[in-house]
Amino acid sequence: MNASSAPLWTKSFILCLANNLFLFIFYFAQTTILPVYILNDLGGTLTEAGLAMTLFMAAAIIVRPFSGLIIEKFGVRKTLILSETFFSLFSLAYLLADNLTLLLIIRFIHGIWFSILSTVVVPVVNQFIPEKRKGEGMGYFVMSINLGIVLGPFLGLSLIQYFSYLNITALLAAMVLFGFIFCFFIPIKEPSKPKKVQSSGSIFQLSHFVEKKAVPIALLAMLISFSYASIMSFIAPFAASKNLMPYAGLFFIVFAFSMMSLRPITGKIYDQKGPQYVIYPALIAFSIGLFILSQIETLTGFLIAAVFIGLGFGSAQPCIQTLALQRAPKHRIGHATSTFYTLYDLGIAIGSTVVGLMIAAQSYSFAYICCGILSLISVFYFKFFVQARPAT
């Protein structure tokens, strides 16, 4: 069989996607409804609700650089089962969180296991994607995250109108446990390691935490996630400033469908022609969307911006992640994944802070123009620091 026609939609690949989908439905649904629970049921403040979100992400960012080392030391399968076990247990622990202190502790510990689990699922699914279909396969894998972005908040906000937070959390935890069961039916193999890797020296070597071949690409992801933070963190208040708040949800729907619309096509283009044929137009479309957003005054412009941003970011992000994995040796894919996500998460964290400061000092328009310019700069960064320096 021709390698390019090797089957992609195998049972193992589908189980990996389903497990990842349930993981991110839980994450994004909790992100949406947890502040409601803190404010209405626990008598917390907006600051405390924000702290619950921050603690989760802080734990994930702190642990992320160590995830590759954990995968190398314990193996892919054992790390998957262990992290999935604790993530599932702490998903159930929300049912016991009857006070704010306990809830914040659960959030922090849950963030640790989320960081490890969301890292190890990448080298797992990578085992079941044919070599000549990496772009297409990883595109579908990232699409399972995008579906979680859409279905999680939709499920949470729809159910919270009729059911209690604890009932919804029980349902979400059951989905996570269902995905956990899938893990036992995935035939995971441990990647072979060169002898020099098996007999490594000091514990505190930089290579134990960072895959240097993935760093230039991960820095590109950091530039993009910095700009993407302006959408994640500020699109709702921006919509309110333009009297478009009732349509903020519609923005995310259009954004999500735009992200997913070209995914099957861009994956095939990546595999057949190369990453540059996807990444260049994607970065330009992303920057165009940000420039449009900086100038909009009407609903039409708001939704057109959502289309460009969704097409650009939705095409660029999975291709850049695939490129980071392909440049790393097979036994270092876990390290490449943790390197990629560490810098990606840092871009989100730094972007949320800096964009907020720009908005406070200048305006939303100024902030989105700056993010659009940064996205254009990332085009040149890709050309001269990534494409011009292929891995050896």
Side-chain angles (χ1 to χ4, degrees):
M1 179 183 290
N2 191 312
S4 62
S5 62
L8 174 62
W9 292 98
T10 60
K11 181 186 75 172
S12 297
F13 182 70
I14 293 170
L15 291 177
C16 288
L17 264 60
N19 179 45
N20 200 54
L21 174 62
F22 293 150
L23 165 66
F24 280 94
I25 285 178
F26 180 95
Y27 169 64
F28 286 107
Q30 277 289 351
T31 301
T32 305
I33 64 174
L34 190 59
V36 178
Y37 177 61
I38 292 172
L39 294 172
N40 296 344
D41 293 21
L42 299 184
T45 64
L46 285 171
T47 300
E48 290 166 334
L51 181 60
M53 303 299 113
T54 302
L55 283 174
F56 188 96
M57 285 306 301
I61 291 173
I62 291 169
V63 174
R64 187 79 75 180
F66 300 92
S67 299
L69 180 61
I70 292 170
I71 294 169
E72 182 180 56
K73 295 299 181 183
F74 290 94
V76 177
R77 181 175 179 79
K78 190 177 291 185
T79 303
L80 175 67
I81 298 300
L82 187 66
S83 59
E84 188 92 48
T85 298
F86 280 99
F87 186 85
S88 300
L89 289 174
F90 278 94
S91 298
L92 291 168
Y94 287 84
L95 300 174
L96 306 175
D98 56 358
N99 64 80
L100 189 61
T101 301
L102 179 57
L103 179 62
L104 294 178
I105 293 172
I106 291 170
R107 285 294 287 175
F108 184 81
I109 300 175
H110 207 197
I112 292 173
W113 292 108
F114 173 80
S115 180
I116 299 171
L117 177 57
S118 59
T119 300
V120 73
V121 292
V122 176
V124 170
V125 74
N126 189 69
Q127 293 187 12
F128 306 104
I129 302 175
E131 286 298 324
K132 297 296 184 180
R133 303 183 70 175
K134 291 297 185 186
E136 184 183 2
M138 285 304 299
Y140 284 118
F141 181 74
V142 174
M143 187 185 290
S144 68
I145 300 175
N146 298 149
L147 284 173
I149 293 174
V150 177
L151 295 178
F154 175 78
L155 189 64
L157 292 175
S158 298
L159 294 179
I160 199 68
Q161 301 177 56
Y162 306 102
F163 302 98
S164 70
Y165 167 81
L166 295 180
N167 287 333
I168 299 170
T169 296
L171 173 64
L172 295 171
M175 294 177 66
V176 171
L177 288 168
F178 191 54
F180 182 24
I181 294 172
F182 291 163
C183 295
F184 294 97
F185 297 93
I186 301 173
I188 301 169
K189 297 179 181 178
E190 298 300 328
S192 58
K193 294 185 282 188
K195 291 183 179 180
K196 64 178 181 179
V197 174
Q198 292 173 335
S199 57
S200 55
S202 171
I203 295 176
F204 299 102
Q205 292 181 11
L206 183 62
S207 61
H208 287 171
F209 306 98
V210 175
E211 172 49 55
K212 63 180 182 180
K213 291 183 179 180
V215 169
I217 306 143
L219 286 171
L220 175 61
M222 185 177 179
L223 292 175
I224 297 169
S225 66
F226 180 102
S227 298
Y228 181 55
S230 67
I231 305 300
M232 284 185 62
S233 302
F234 299 106
I235 197 66
F238 171 71
S241 73
K242 298 292 183 179
N243 297 316
L244 294 171
M245 189 58 190
Y247 305 102
L250 181 59
F251 178 95
F252 280 108
I253 292 173
V254 173
F255 171 75
F257 277 105
S258 297
M259 277 201 298
M260 294 183 286
S261 63
L262 291 182
R263 190 61 52 77
I265 300 172
T266 54
K268 291 180 180 179
I269 293 174
Y270 179 102
D271 292 327
Q272 294 171 8
K273 292 183 173 294
Q276 67 273 20
Y277 286 91
V278 178
I279 293 175
Y280 281 130
L283 293 177
I284 292 171
F286 185 42
S287 62
I288 290 173
L290 291 167
F291 285 130
I292 293 174
L293 196 62
S294 72
Q295 304 300 314
I296 66 103
E297 296 292 340
T298 65
L299 175 60
T300 301
F302 192 49
L303 298 182
I304 290 174
V307 171
F308 275 94
I309 292 170
L311 290 174
F313 181 81
S315 299
Q317 196 264 346
C319 289
I320 292 170
Q321 183 175 351
T322 304
L323 187 59
L325 300 184
Q326 287 181 318
R327 290 202 171 179
K330 287 188 181 298
H331 69 279
R332 297 278 298 176
I333 286 178
H335 291 79
T337 303
S338 65
T339 300
F340 178 90
Y341 277 127
T342 296
L343 291 176
Y344 180 87
D345 291 343
L346 280 174
I348 293 287
I350 296 170
S352 296
T353 302
V354 174
V355 171
L357 292 173
M358 286 193 289
I359 292 169
Q362 295 290 331
S363 65
Y364 284 104
S365 179
F366 176 82
Y368 283 121
I369 287 173
C370 289
C371 289
I373 292 172
L374 182 62
S375 298
L376 285 179
I377 291 173
S378 68
V379 173
F380 295 97
Y381 176 88
F382 174 72
K383 178 175 178 60
F384 294 108
F385 294 94
V386 178
Q387 189 181 7
R389 298 181 181 181
T392 56

